[in-house]
Amino acid sequence: MSDESTSDESTQAIHGVIGLGAMGMGIARSLLDGGLPVIGCDLAADARVAFADAGGRVHSSPLALAEECSVILLVVVNAHQVETVLFGDEGRGGLAERLAPGSLVIQCATVAPAYAEALGERLDAMGLVLLDAPISGGAARAACGQLSVMASGRPEAFAMAEPALEAMAGTVHRLGDAPGAGSSVKLVNQHLAGVHIAAAAEAMALGIRMGIDPERLYEVITQSAGNSWMFENRVPHILEGDYTPLSAVDIFVKDLNLVHDTGRDLRLAMPVAASALQQFTAASGMGLGREDDAAVIKVYAATAGLDLPAANDTHLDREGEE
C-alpha cells in the first residue's frame, strides 16, 4: 500500500454498521468495496465471522464502536432495536451518549415517522446528527451497492453521509431537511409492498384452486397488465416451495401495523392495507412468522385445502425486499 493511500484512509471517517443481516451485510461490504474504513457489529457470531472473512473489522458490542466511529449506520429491525442500541435498556447506557459530538447516525430501519422526528430532536440535543434513511431494494441490491435510500435530514447530515450513500445506493431520494420525511415515504412503500405480496398470494391461490398450472400462470401474469414487482419477485418462492426467509412474514406484520397506526392517527381509513395486515397476522399466528413473506399463501392453503408446489432442488435467483 502506498503512503498516499494510507494517508487517504487516515482522513476518512470510520463507519460502523450495526446489524449484519441480509441487508446490513450487503451494505457493510459495499462500503468496504467503496474503499471506506468499516467496522461491522452484530450479536450473531456467524455474521461477524462472515464480515471478517470479507476483510472487515468486527465488534460484538455497539458500544465498542463509539471509540473509533464517527458515522454509524443502524440496519436493525425496528424502533425498539434502534432505541436499545442508541440509548440502552434496563438502566444501561447506549451508544449515543458515548459518541463524539458531531457524529452522524444513519437510521435505516423502518420506523414510524413520528419516532424518526423525535429521534432527530433527541440526538440533536446530544450534539449528534441524524439522517433518517430507510432503505429498499432487497439483499441482492444491498450486496451490489444499488439500494434505494429514502432520506431526510439537515444538509450537514447529507454531506457527512455522502461517502456511505455513494457506496451503498443506486438512488438517493432527498426528501427534506428534517428527519421524518424519509420514514414517511418508506411507510408508503411498505403499504404497497405488503398489499402487493398479499394480493399476489391470493391471486395464485385463486389460480391453483381453479386448476391452472402454477408455472404457466406465473409465465402469463408476468407478461400481462396484472403483474407487479412483488408478484414477479415473490411467486417464484411459492413455485419452488422454498420459504427460506429473505424478508419474513413478521416484517410485514410489523410494517403494516405501522401503516395502520399512522392511518389511525391521521384519521385516514385504509381498508386494503388492513386486509393485507390480517392475512400476514394470520400467517404469523399459524407459526409462519419467520418464514419468507410469500408464505402468506399458506393461509389460503390451510383454509381452502390447496396443494401448494413442493420444495424442489431448482432454485431461481432470489432477491428479498424489506
Side-chain angles (χ1 to χ4, degrees):
M1 182 179 295
S2 70
D3 292 340
E4 181 179 354
S5 62
T6 302
S7 175
D8 288 344
E9 284 191 6
S10 67
T11 62
Q12 289 179 315
I14 299 178
H15 293 65
V17 178
I18 299 176
L20 297 174
M23 301 288 280
M25 182 67 76
I27 289 172
R29 295 186 67 162
S30 292
L31 298 186
L32 270 184
D33 292 344
L36 300 177
V38 184
I39 302 175
C41 178
D42 200 286
L43 295 178
D46 57 347
R48 299 196 303 271
V49 169
F51 187 56
D53 288 346
R57 296 171 56 205
V58 294
H59 282 306
S60 60
S61 168
L63 298 181
L65 301 182
E67 297 179 5
E68 300 184 70
C69 300
S70 58
V71 178
I72 298 292
L73 292 92
L74 296 177
V75 197
V76 294
V77 173
N78 53 30
H80 174 72
Q81 291 187 0
V82 172
E83 193 75 11
T84 300
V85 168
L86 290 178
F87 304 107
D89 60 357
E90 299 180 354
R92 294 190 294 270
L95 179 61
E97 66 185 35
R98 303 191 185 199
L99 288 170
S103 296
L104 172 68
V105 175
I106 303 176
Q107 198 297 108
C108 298
T110 301
V111 301
Y115 176 79
E117 293 172 11
L119 180 62
E121 294 171 358
R122 294 162 71 189
L123 293 181
D124 183 63
M126 301 174 73
L128 304 174
V129 182
L130 176 68
L131 188 69
D132 179 25
I135 52 180
S136 182
R141 294 183 190 177
C144 63
Q146 291 296 310
L147 289 170
S148 174
V149 180
M150 307 164 207
S152 62
R154 300 201 306 262
E156 55 264 42
F158 278 101
M160 294 173 66
E162 184 174 356
L165 295 176
E166 183 175 345
M168 64 188 271
T171 306
V172 177
H173 302 279
R174 297 185 64 138
L175 300 168
D177 59 5
S183 287
S184 295
V185 173
K186 180 61 188 293
L187 213 58
V188 174
N189 182 80
Q190 294 309 93
H191 174 296
L192 290 167
V195 165
H196 288 174
I197 294 169
E202 185 168 286
M204 287 301 297
L206 174 63
I208 293 169
R209 182 72 171 194
M210 292 190 295
I212 303 171
D213 176 73
E215 298 273 358
R216 184 65 173 149
L217 179 59
Y218 176 75
E219 179 184 343
V220 172
I221 295 302
T222 53
Q223 298 178 52
S224 303
N227 191 33
S228 69
W229 193 94
M230 283 300 187
F231 184 95
E232 189 164 348
N233 183 265
R234 294 308 204 266
V235 171
H237 306 182
I238 298 169
L239 299 179
E240 297 168 20
D242 181 5
Y243 299 94
T244 304
L246 293 181
S247 177
V249 164
D250 278 346
I251 292 291
F252 278 98
V253 174
K254 170 184 73 78
D255 289 356
L256 288 173
N257 264 305
L258 286 176
V259 170
H260 174 79
D261 291 346
T262 302
R264 180 191 60 203
D265 293 343
L266 296 171
R267 303 297 188 268
L268 177 65
M270 290 184 289
V272 177
S275 178
L277 172 58
Q278 290 303 308
Q279 292 301 99
F280 283 106
T281 302
S284 184
M286 290 171 58
L288 307 174
R290 298 181 67 84
E291 292 194 15
D292 188 83
D293 50 39
V296 71
I297 196 172
K298 294 183 180 182
V299 176
Y300 296 95
T303 57
L306 301 181
D307 291 325
L308 299 177
N312 58 64
D313 295 328
T314 304
H315 298 297
L316 304 176
D317 291 334
R318 294 180 54 179
E319 177 185 340
E321 166 84 5
E322 196 275 344

